[in-house]
Amino acid sequence: MPEAPKISLKPTDYNLVEKNKKTLHFIEDVTANADKVQERVLGEILTRNANVEYLVKHGLKGHNDRETFKKVIPVSTYEDIQQEINRIANGDTSKILCSRPISEFLTSSGTSGGERKLMPTIEEELERRSLLYSLLMPVMSQFVPGLDKGKGMYFLFIKSEAKTPGGLLARPVLTSYYKSSHFKERPYDPYTNYTSPNETILCPDSYQSMYSQLLCGLYQNKEVLRVGAVFASGFIRAIRFLEKHWTLLCNDIRSGTMNPQITDPYVREAVMKILKPDPMLADFIEAECSKDSWQGIITRLWPNTKYVDVIVTGTMSQYIPILDYYSNNLPLVCTMYASSECYFGVNLNPLCKPSEVSYTLIPTMCYFEFLPVHRNNGVTNSPNVPKALTEKEQQELVDLVDVKLGHEYELVVTTYSGLYRYRVGDVLRVAGFKNKAPQFNFICRKNVVLSIDSDKTDEVELQNAVKNAVNHLMPFDATISEYTSYADTKTIPGHYVLFWELSLNGSTPIPPSVFEDCCLTIEESLNSVYRQGRVSDKSIGPLEIKIVEPGTFDKLMDYAISLGASINQYKTPRCVKFAPIVELMNSRVVSSYFSPKCPKWVPGHKKWNNGD
Ligand code: AMP
């Protein structure tokens, strides 16, 4: 991920060594004094927000110490603060959650009631995010020297934004960041030297944005030292785009002009400042791209690349094999862990294997707490809707410096923007410590069964979607006796697959169009992040239903039991991931159907006029 520099200096007086040293010293300092820093952070948050409605309502009475805070303020979920959020969205500017003015809403990829969660934020949070970004390259430069001597080719995009009824902007955190002066007007820093001009990143048309970023990246291929995107899925999308459009890109490089499909005047102007005719480079790219195999295409086209900077932890790990293939096993580097609620931490050992990535939480970002998780070995998923915690569970939460090695916890944060003891929904495992600060493996997002890009579909959503689709089968006196699902990332873009075993009572055969209607109904029923991925980002392919032979789910049960599942407690998993099980299901498919078109999606919240 790109980083924002903190210190404004001109190229001549830029002292990289000094700046890196200062940053690493900062990390040493805050991790060595993690507990003290945490106490200070909580004290600051509570002092400045002493009079906000939420804290007053719960009776904190201006206290700013940990003990009273933990006794008085409950652990919360989005649903608990939904009323407050709605009031802010509808234009109530009183100090509801935070004493500082809410500058905008960040729309999370986590959903509630099928819509993106809205996270209120304040202006100064941009500085905290910038600070986290500014840690990344000094850390990286300890392991890979010379990164200041070339450029980074990062595929970065903005997404659509909407306005709440009260007039606040609602947009994803990265869109907010790229549009901010922290990114757009970043001062000189050899580490924020990207092949993509700002105008190409800020172009709202995703085709033109991707095309122009690839064009600039290809044109400057020799200068590129690192490549990346935020998530692995985004980087693979760029490679896929190149597969489709390399002829056009080569033509533009050969002639030093941009084809007329690129109409955005800012993009054209910015790219034309860089692009000059280069027939030799065009021939080289053409020769590489027209070879049968695209194995190692990244190192072939960008020969000086040292690593691929993309998140491959969590559900993104499904993309590791394809990235290895395209990059000829270059290191895959996961640099940071962040969310709309708050940016959390960085990976201090970025060249480690993806399976060993751990993130050190930076104690200045927010006040962290940890709810112990006792998972039933993760085979099936626990209930979806988080239940309110009992008194005892509330007392089980531990502080940052008190987590235990090897234990798993759910992350709970108290932020400067007004979330108090808020459950983020991520499960983390303690992998080690940097001084006093714990380092966490990212284990999973709670309850998510399917994910291709930033979509997160849980079991209840899937269940409801299937229930809606089954209505199409009723006229045929058919129903589904069992189902499960699978995120198929072999296709690009990946897509959801549902395995259905039918129970047929009628004699009329079911025409394919009915199953296609079922596919579309499921897609229409899924949350807005999924539908946006299908419609706007094109990062998710059409949903597929695979009808399996009768008896397939019995075979699935037999297999699970042979692996040690208990017969009494066996429940059909609503999602399968384990390769032999996917193979078993696939070997019994009798027919398959795809969604014939995209589901409906509009920017904004379904309740807002501008989103309708
Ligand atoms: P959003 O609120 O849409 O920005 O999504 C934030 C969520 O993305 C986090 O709560 C995690 O579930 C996931 N996420 C962010 N960074 C990482 C990472 N480095 N590894 C795995 N998952 C991540």
Side-chain angles (χ1 to χ4, degrees):
M1 234 173 172
E3 64 295 336
K6 285 297 287 177
I7 309 164
S8 171
L9 289 168
K10 284 192 230 78
T12 42
D13 54 10
Y14 196 88
N15 189 337
L16 194 69
V17 178
E18 202 46 43
K19 184 180 168 256
N20 287 354
K21 234 165 79 183
K22 233 168 131 177
T23 301
L24 297 175
H25 179 76
F26 167 82
I27 296 173
E28 281 297 326
D29 187 39
V30 295
T31 53
N33 299 297
D35 199 42
K36 243 205 261 156
V37 174
Q38 283 281 276
E39 187 162 19
R40 176 175 59 74
V41 166
L42 181 66
E44 273 172 18
I45 295 173
L46 298 182
T47 305
R48 64 153 82 163
N49 293 317
N51 296 320
V52 305
E53 257 184 51
Y54 187 83
L55 294 182
V56 171
K57 176 177 91 181
H58 285 290
L60 193 61
K61 300 199 177 100
H63 289 280
N64 64 3
D65 61 292
R66 278 193 240 207
E67 207 184 324
T68 317
F69 175 67
K70 290 183 180 211
K71 207 154 70 196
V72 172
I73 303 297
V75 175
S76 60
T77 63
Y78 186 76
E79 288 66 30
D80 295 327
I81 54 167
Q82 180 110 53
Q83 275 193 347
E84 283 84 354
I85 302 275
N86 289 347
R87 280 172 57 202
I88 300 169
N90 288 328
D92 188 338
T93 54
S94 48
K95 299 184 187 337
I96 299 173
L97 293 170
C98 185
S99 62
R100 305 275 156 106
I102 300 300
S103 53
E104 60 183 310
F105 277 110
L106 302 177
T107 54
S108 163
S109 57
T111 54
S112 171
E115 297 292 319
R116 285 174 178 270
K117 289 177 184 166
L118 298 172
M119 294 298 162
T121 191
I122 55 176
E123 196 66 34
E124 70 170 49
E125 272 298 291
L126 271 167
E127 268 150 51
R128 244 169 243 113
R129 283 177 215 126
S130 298
L131 177 115
L132 202 87
Y133 284 132
S134 76
L135 308 181
L136 306 180
M137 289 310 288
V139 169
M140 196 66 212
S141 65
Q142 295 172 284
F143 302 90
V144 185
L147 291 171
D148 54 314
K149 306 285 187 297
K151 297 193 176 185
M153 180 180 70
Y154 283 87
F155 300 107
L156 307 174
F157 302 93
I158 55 165
K159 289 195 183 186
S160 63
E161 44 192 47
K163 276 223 166 115
T164 68
L168 283 172
L169 273 178
R171 54 190 179 178
V173 61
L174 290 173
T175 301
S176 159
Y177 182 69
Y178 300 145
K179 287 190 162 185
S180 75
S181 57
H182 290 254
F183 181 78
K184 281 198 301 196
E185 288 146 35
R186 57 193 187 275
Y188 172 79
D189 181 332
Y191 290 147
T192 57
N193 201 354
Y194 304 127
T195 54
S196 299
N198 286 355
E199 291 79 358
T200 61
I201 295 169
L202 296 171
C203 172
D205 180 294
S206 60
Y207 175 89
Q208 296 189 46
S209 177
M210 178 71 95
Y211 186 92
S212 53
Q213 293 194 52
L214 260 171
L215 183 61
C216 295
L218 285 167
Y219 182 72
Q220 303 168 79
N221 74 327
K222 294 269 170 42
E223 290 172 66
V224 171
L225 301 183
R226 53 200 168 105
V227 300
V230 179
F231 288 109
S233 52
F235 190 77
I236 287 162
R237 219 161 45 243
I239 301 291
R240 177 67 174 169
F241 189 98
L242 179 62
E243 277 188 73
K244 274 202 196 147
H245 300 288
W246 57 264
T247 321
L248 208 52
L249 287 157
C250 286
N251 290 346
D252 282 357
I253 292 175
R254 184 168 289 112
S255 62
T257 56
M258 279 187 102
N259 70 73
Q261 277 180 9
I262 308 303
T263 53
D264 184 317
Y266 301 107
V267 170
R268 291 192 73 90
E269 192 188 332
V271 175
M272 287 317 296
K273 277 190 197 146
I274 301 173
L275 193 67
K276 302 277 172 304
D278 191 341
M280 261 171 58
L281 178 61
D283 287 347
F284 165 74
I285 297 168
E286 209 165 72
E288 289 302 331
C289 292
S290 45
K291 285 184 183 155
D292 282 344
S293 162
W294 268 47
Q295 183 166 10
I297 195 73
I298 295 167
T299 39
R300 277 154 49 191
L301 294 178
W302 294 278
N304 300 316
T305 308
K306 297 189 163 47
Y307 62 90
V308 182
D309 184 350
V310 283
I311 291 176
V312 284
T313 40
T315 55
M316 289 293 151
S317 61
Q318 58 198 345
Y319 296 104
I320 292 173
I322 182 95
L323 283 172
D324 285 343
Y325 176 83
Y326 284 137
S327 75
N328 257 346
N329 298 307
L330 278 176
L332 301 176
V333 170
C334 298
T335 56
M336 63 185 279
Y337 168 43
S339 79
S340 312
E341 290 87 342
C342 185
Y343 280 19
F344 305 125
V346 297
N347 178 359
L348 296 181
N349 187 17
L351 291 188
C352 70
K353 283 197 262 171
S355 57
E356 285 163 13
V357 170
S358 69
Y359 300 102
T360 304
L361 302 189
I362 300 299
T364 54
M365 298 305 291
C366 64
Y367 177 63
F368 296 104
E369 289 179 89
F370 300 86
L371 176 65
V373 172
H374 313 286
R375 287 193 305 156
N376 48 359
N377 80 16
V379 176
T380 50
N381 284 279
S382 46
N384 294 63
V385 187
K387 285 200 218 89
L389 296 182
T390 62
E391 191 90 354
K392 184 168 166 283
E393 284 168 324
Q394 298 250 7
Q395 283 162 9
E396 280 185 359
L397 267 74
V398 295
D399 275 328
L400 184 68
V401 298
D402 295 328
V403 295
K404 299 222 161 44
L405 189 67
H407 287 217
E408 289 186 3
Y409 299 91
E410 201 187 310
L411 183 62
V412 174
V413 294
T414 296
T415 67
Y416 284 89
S417 346
L419 298 175
Y420 302 96
R421 312 193 83 194
Y422 179 87
R423 294 170 75 173
V424 174
D426 291 342
V427 177
L428 311 174
R429 184 192 298 131
V430 184
F433 288 85
K434 164 72 181 173
N435 296 322
K436 293 279 170 17
Q439 305 179 300
F440 289 95
N441 300 135
F442 181 92
I443 300 300
C444 64
R445 177 96 182 173
K446 267 190 101 181
N447 306 323
V448 169
V449 286
L450 287 169
S451 173
I452 293 289
D453 190 28
S454 54
D455 53 303
K456 300 167 173 64
T457 296
D458 71 32
E459 210 175 307
V460 170
E461 287 172 319
L462 185 64
Q463 171 79 31
N464 286 336
V466 169
K467 202 176 85 200
N468 293 342
V470 166
N471 290 333
H472 294 292
L473 302 181
M474 267 157 51
F476 300 90
D477 211 359
T479 183
I480 55 174
S481 53
E482 275 294 6
Y483 75 92
T484 191
S485 66
Y486 169 63
D488 185 351
T489 52
K490 290 255 155 51
T491 58
I492 303 175
H495 70 290
Y496 287 12
V497 173
L498 269 78
F499 294 102
W500 278 11
E501 188 171 316
L502 297 176
S503 155
L504 299 165
N505 299 313
S507 48
T508 324
I510 306 170
S513 64
V514 170
F515 288 116
E516 287 173 1
D517 288 345
C518 291
C519 292
L520 187 59
T521 299
I522 294 175
E523 294 202 297
E524 295 284 7
S525 310
L526 292 176
N527 66 51
S528 75
V529 180
Y530 174 88
R531 286 179 282 114
Q532 182 172 5
R534 281 280 285 125
V535 176
S536 168
D537 307 343
K538 314 239 179 312
S539 56
I540 306 173
L543 182 138
E544 183 180 12
I545 291 177
K546 292 182 173 180
I547 307 295
V548 293
E549 285 168 24
T552 300
F553 279 83
D554 286 341
K555 285 270 178 292
L556 174 63
M557 181 172 74
D558 293 346
Y559 190 78
I561 288 165
S562 77
L563 293 178
S566 138
I567 301 186
N568 292 330
Q569 287 167 316
Y570 178 80
K571 287 202 280 321
T572 304
R574 289 300 172 220
C575 178
V576 292
K577 294 190 172 87
F578 187 46
I581 293 190
V582 177
E583 252 167 58
L584 182 150
M585 301 303 295
N586 272 325
S587 70
R588 303 177 76 92
V589 171
V590 289
S591 57
S592 86
Y593 308 92
F594 285 93
S595 194
K597 58 180 187 187
C598 280
K600 286 189 217 69
W601 173 80
V602 282
H605 208 278
K606 68 174 177 234
K607 279 190 261 166
W608 304 341
N609 292 334
N610 64 0
D612 282 339

